[in-house]
Amino acid sequence: MLARQTQNKALQWLGRQLFNRDDPAAFFDPLLEQVNPMWVQQYTPALVKQIINETSDTKTLVLKPAAHWEGFEAGQHVNICVEIDGVRHDRTFSLSSAPALWKKQGLVTLTIKRLPGGLVTNWIHDRLEAGTTIGLKEAFGEFRLPATPRPILFIAGGSGITPILSMLETMAADDYRAPVTLLYFVRTSSDIIAREKLEALASRYPALTLTIIITHESDEPRYLRESDLQAVPGLKARDVYMCGPGGLMDLAGSQLQNLGVKEDSIHKTFFAAPATVLDGGAVGGTVQFAKSQVEVSSEGDANLLEMAEAAGLSPRYGCRMGICHQCSCRKTSGTVINRITGQSSGPGEENIQLCVSVPQGPVSVEA
Amino acid sequence: MIKMNEQQLAELEKDLNAIRDEVLADRGERDAQYIRWIVRLHRTLEVSGRVMMPFGFIPPVFVAATAALGLSKIIENMEIGHNVMHGQYDWMNDPSLHSQTYEWDTVCTSDSWRRTHNYEHHTYTNVIGKDRDYGYAVLRLSDDVKWHPGHLFQFVNYILLTVLFQWGVGVHELESERLRRREITWKSKLPFLKDFFRKGGRQAFKDYVFFPLITFPVAPIVLAGNIGANLIRNLWSSTVIFCGHFTQDAETFTEEECENESKGHWYLRQLTGSSNFTGGKWVHLLSGHLSYQIEHHVFPDLPAHRYPEISEKVQAVCRKHGIHYNTGSFARQYGTVLKRIMTYSLPDRMRQKLTAPQPAQVM
């Protein structure tokens, strides 16, 4: 559901008058895409230039977005849209290339790991071919480098390295003058993503200290230890950027707290929907979908999107992890708990995201 | 309507659900390709109609342009708009084909249509007093409505309705008959009227002001062609829709019959209250597959191009349960619609005399 909306009020008006839609250019998409898929207006098409194997389960897509794409900052992510068996699917991935590559050559890269059972990542690995196009939305996300150089510690796990690759490339190119340490955790040595690139970076960019830690090649799993953090010079003065699986993030968070690192200097980004453990007894309820006149009850932590779909409704949705807001919808009454933050909403009228909202008692939504 | 007990109705429900489940399990790429092809066809026809229209001073071009634009409006309303708004393609997750956001190329706003058609008509199909689509509150089509002399002229009403069909559908939700009876107030209809004038104004502006003006020297030709295209769409869509529920054997129901009804009873009502007509592939396409009105009413949210494929199975279920499957040629079905409009315009006694079975001729 990557709808690109024109901001031009006159165009919007004309679109409504002539085609009953706000985006008049997209009216012609069905014809334009027959001539050249890169002319599509409804979303930003991106040509798949090349697909590179990084590891046995990770590939890098080299994409050439249409020229009107607005670019990004290192560390940001982007929603992509692919069509599988007639169904459009949106997913969010971090951009793994540096913004300079986009500015100079009009290219960006996404580094994507195959997730067991994941519909979209498996399709990308098995079916996507160079020469085809996929949909792209504008980049977003607050996982960005500080404006003025400060000492930095990166903690990455698995494919959580991708936004950090983009940051490191940018820092090396800009000659970012502050100590930078990367602690990179991978299960086995064959899981290291972009190993050569990282090693090349470390050799040409002296401020970078690269430490790769293999967790699952010894008898005992070798996870993050406080001593790893203590070994980072000037830890307390550093900005910490973390991206990786929930277990690593939680562990790092508590160890950093023990070592006296202030919470507001820690930046996190997730690459999978964090499932906050909700107390099963306190959630669930009857949800009324007003437009469709359907009522669904749930016990436990099913979210509103799943409940609607189980009842045969098809609300709009995108990432299904609370990022893209495609499933945003007006709640008219009742309380929901946000799965990501664990916080409960007020009882009043407000916009909520169906995919991360779990009902707590009776809830009514306009959908 | 044939009488069926709850156990038989449950059996009917099970049989029809099985057909539905089979389609759902197979729904995917093929359906997406079909609707995308239809959308391309619509865009091609509309663009070519609009581009050709200014050259309409050449008579054959005028005919081609008007036909192309008329066909584009028919396809957009019937096979795209109506079907998309039923949610037949929501599963594709395409913002251009989503039931809740689609806005179609006709006077009636999509919001009003979703309320009056998707909800009222499809829930209370042919229930007199509940389904306001039965006669559109301007035609007497059964003896559930008491005759009065005004009905003598209802054929004129029918002609007006079919010629101005998009405007009739547009004001349908105004519920003018209830306003006349003072059951509801004009004030309560203000939000509806605001939407109606905005959308109606938009549609009239586009076809009757904007496109004629930008082709100023030939404005009268473009205006005439656009009126013609709208007329073609009005006549065809109203005819298709009338053939769906007002044919001779399409049954009507009372509110009491439908109180607390089961899903099986709802299915039975959809099967007996709707009627099909036969024709070639293009007749079905241009009717938005409402030529398979029975299949559509039983499964309003299955992709409509599937109806011809499941028709045999629905007929088999009807045979099994002894339910009449109401179909016939387009000419025959439309003939019975016209006959119904004519005969119910007459007082009951005269109608009964006219339509009483003729005594068998003695050879």
Side-chain angles (χ1 to χ4, degrees), chain A residues 1-3 13-14 16-21 23 26-31 33-34 42 83-90 291 293 312 314-318 367, chain B residues 27-29 32 36 39-40 42-44 46-47 87 90-96 98 100-101 103-106 111 119 199 201-203 205-206 210-211 301:
Chain A
M1 304 291 280
L2 304 182
W13 179 85
L14 198 63
R16 280 196 296 272
Q17 303 308 313
L18 302 186
F19 308 118
N20 288 301
R21 54 193 298 159
D23 48 351
F27 176 84
F28 299 98
D29 275 353
L31 299 180
E33 74 182 346
Q34 291 296 303
Q42 189 192 45
E83 192 177 307
I84 305 173
D85 291 333
V87 183
R88 287 195 185 183
H89 297 272
D90 287 19
K291 251 193 192 155
Q293 304 191 319
S314 326
R316 261 177 303 176
Y317 66 86
Chain B
R27 193 177 63 180
E29 185 70 33
R36 297 244 158 89
V39 172
R40 278 200 301 280
H42 162 246
R43 302 295 199 268
T44 308
E46 172 153 9
V47 170
D90 279 3
W91 53 274
M92 287 171 63
N93 202 28
D94 181 338
S96 292
H98 198 274
Q100 298 308 307
T101 50
E103 189 63 54
W104 58 347
D105 181 15
T106 184
D111 278 333
Y119 167 56
K199 180 79 191 288
R202 201 182 274 175
Q203 291 297 114
F205 170 77
K206 165 171 74 174
F210 181 85
F211 283 111
D301 60 355

Side-chain angles (χ1 to χ4, degrees), chain A residues 240-263:
Chain A
V240 183
Y241 287 79
M242 303 199 285
C243 184
L248 172 66
M249 309 265 272
D250 291 344
L251 189 61
S254 63
Q255 290 180 3
L256 287 166
Q257 198 183 4
N258 292 344
L259 296 169
V261 176
K262 284 197 292 291
E263 188 141 6

Side-chain angles (χ1 to χ4, degrees), chain A residues 131-170:
Chain A
T132 56
T133 60
I134 61 173
L136 208 62
K137 207 176 179 177
E138 295 305 333
F140 65 103
E142 296 306 311
F143 195 67
R144 285 179 294 191
L145 291 170
T148 51
R150 295 169 49 80
I152 286 178
L153 166 62
F154 290 115
I155 303 174
S159 57
I161 191 70
T162 52
I164 294 168
L165 277 174
S166 171
M167 290 172 153
L168 287 174
E169 287 245 28
T170 306

